[in-house]
Amino acid sequence: MKVFPNDASCKGYLADLKWHDGFECSKCGHDSGHRRKDHSYFCYKCQHVESATAGTLFHKVKFGLHKAFCIAFEMSTSSKGVSSIQMGKRFGIRQGTAWFFMQKVRKAMESSQRWPLSELVHVDEFVVGGQEEGKKGRSYNTKKTRIIVGVELSEKRGIKRAYAQVIDDYSAKSFTPFFERHISKKASVVTDKWTGYNPLKQTYDITQVPSSKGKNFKELHLVIHQIKSWLRTIPSHASKHHMDSYLNEFSFRLNRSQFKQSIFHKTIERMLDHKPYFHTQIIENLSV
Ligand SMILES: [Zn+2]
């Protein structure tokens, strides 16, 4: 609130970041121009005026950059995550408007996949909403959302980082994209005795141990518990695609919990580097 007290200071910050290495006109590629009072840039060659938000995830934010910064701040720093209902009330905007903007922030929070989990990694799956009654273990006809999760542990078994992703079923075929995105081939992976992991042993170093009712995977179950309690604040009709966006947000925050000072700026930087994500695209993903 002190550093960015109003829309203009937020815009100034975006302009500083965007043209940090100099100006390049997005229309004609020319590199000379001047920055105007409203933090847009005027191109000397084609006279195009480019705003700091053009071509970024802040494109056409209707409720002002200050509120947008506040929402991005809450999402990246609040340890439990925040809902669009809370954000709407707090900043005087419609819940739907807040939700659309928050999907854009989540887009910026997607993993770059450049730093897969590479040390001791515990992997398991879970169902959102809990196991169905009367069915034990991995049921194939559940209608609930299935999620695979990998947690990287330190030598002292502290939780370092985690990723999670929606899966169709508990087969190696469904597990593979998650492993390819988020787990390094150098990692020492530990799972329970589920046979679905067997084919992955050709590529990954996987050890299987009995779960012993979760005793051997305490840290993993702590993360699962955190994900579940956070997802409870989210609409239950969330599509598969959107569920993944919530899981991205969860990982982004957890994996940077040691870097509380920089996480907000990192979020803003990523939003600035990302091309616009339009409402029509977000709506298309509702049914995926
Ligand atoms: Zn130009």
Side-chain angles (χ1 to χ4, degrees):
M1 288 291 179
K2 246 185 218 165
V3 180
F4 303 114
N6 50 36
D7 288 348
S9 54
C10 298
K11 206 176 243 182
Y13 180 66
L14 291 182
D16 289 347
L17 279 177
K18 188 174 188 178
W19 295 300
H20 181 261
D21 299 320
F23 168 71
E24 194 192 301
C25 177
S26 64
K27 286 270 186 288
C28 75
H30 190 64
D31 62 2
S32 75
H34 73 266
R35 186 161 151 181
R36 308 194 314 173
K37 270 202 187 118
D38 67 354
H39 302 293
S40 59
Y41 233 98
F42 177 80
C43 171
Y44 286 152
K45 194 175 176 196
C46 75
Q47 307 193 330
H48 169 62
V49 175
E50 186 171 327
S51 82
T53 56
T56 78
L57 283 172
F58 290 103
H59 186 68
K60 290 196 173 155
V61 168
K62 297 234 169 63
F63 46 84
L65 279 178
H66 186 243
K67 286 177 182 174
F69 269 45
C70 287
I71 293 174
F73 181 82
E74 291 298 330
M75 287 175 75
S76 46
T77 59
S78 153
S79 58
K80 287 197 173 139
V82 288
S83 71
S84 55
I85 299 169
Q86 287 171 290
M87 291 296 94
K89 269 189 199 151
R90 182 116 148 244
F91 299 111
I93 51 182
R94 283 177 36 224
Q95 180 264 334
T97 307
W99 184 83
F100 271 107
F101 178 71
M102 289 169 83
Q103 282 304 105
K104 296 177 189 182
V105 180
R106 290 183 185 112
K107 197 76 191 159
M109 289 177 166
E110 265 177 22
S111 162
S112 68
Q113 298 178 31
R114 280 189 300 156
W115 313 103
L117 307 177
S118 59
E119 295 168 33
L120 175 62
V121 180
H122 286 185
V123 177
D124 200 2
E125 328 87 46
F126 64 99
V127 176
V128 176
Q131 296 285 343
E132 285 181 319
E133 278 176 45
K135 284 176 187 155
K136 281 208 170 135
R138 280 117 169 138
S139 150
Y140 272 88
N141 50 12
T142 169
K143 276 185 182 153
K144 295 186 177 171
T145 307
R146 306 168 185 97
I147 295 171
I148 187 167
V149 55
V151 176
E152 185 180 61
L153 299 174
S154 67
E155 277 171 26
K156 291 178 179 169
R157 286 182 75 112
I159 296 163
K160 287 180 77 179
R161 297 186 297 152
Y163 289 109
Q165 184 179 314
V166 175
I167 46 174
D168 290 333
D169 55 38
Y170 302 122
S171 67
K173 191 170 166 257
S174 292
F175 295 162
T176 301
F178 176 76
F179 272 71
E180 285 174 350
R181 274 184 206 131
H182 298 302
I183 300 179
S184 161
K185 293 187 176 103
K186 287 182 290 183
S188 307
V189 181
V190 183
T191 71
D192 64 12
K193 293 281 195 180
W194 176 243
T195 52
Y197 290 102
N198 285 342
L200 286 158
K201 286 180 182 169
Q202 289 172 8
T203 320
Y204 295 90
D205 170 14
I206 299 177
T207 309
Q208 294 196 287
V209 300
S211 162
S212 301
K213 288 184 182 164
K215 246 189 246 161
N216 288 329
F217 296 94
K218 255 192 214 154
E219 301 79 10
L220 186 71
H221 285 106
L222 188 69
V223 171
I224 292 175
H225 177 76
Q226 287 172 353
I227 295 177
K228 280 185 176 176
S229 57
W230 176 52
L231 288 178
R232 252 174 237 131
T233 64
I234 280 151
S236 56
H237 60 267
S239 73
K240 182 183 161 194
H241 181 90
H242 284 131
M243 186 62 88
D244 274 330
S245 77
Y246 294 118
L247 297 171
N248 288 339
E249 182 191 336
F250 179 86
S251 290
F252 183 82
R253 219 173 14 243
L254 176 78
N255 297 351
R256 284 164 189 77
S257 49
Q258 317 240 4
F259 311 102
K260 284 231 156 68
Q261 297 292 326
S262 62
I263 188 169
F264 168 64
H265 295 283
K266 189 79 210 161
T267 306
I268 299 295
E269 258 176 52
R270 279 175 165 231
M271 292 189 71
L272 197 69
D273 287 341
H274 202 289
K275 62 182 190 306
Y277 185 33
F278 295 105
H279 285 203
T280 46
Q281 294 171 295
I282 298 175
I283 289 165
E284 272 168 27
N285 285 327
L286 272 174
S287 53
V288 177

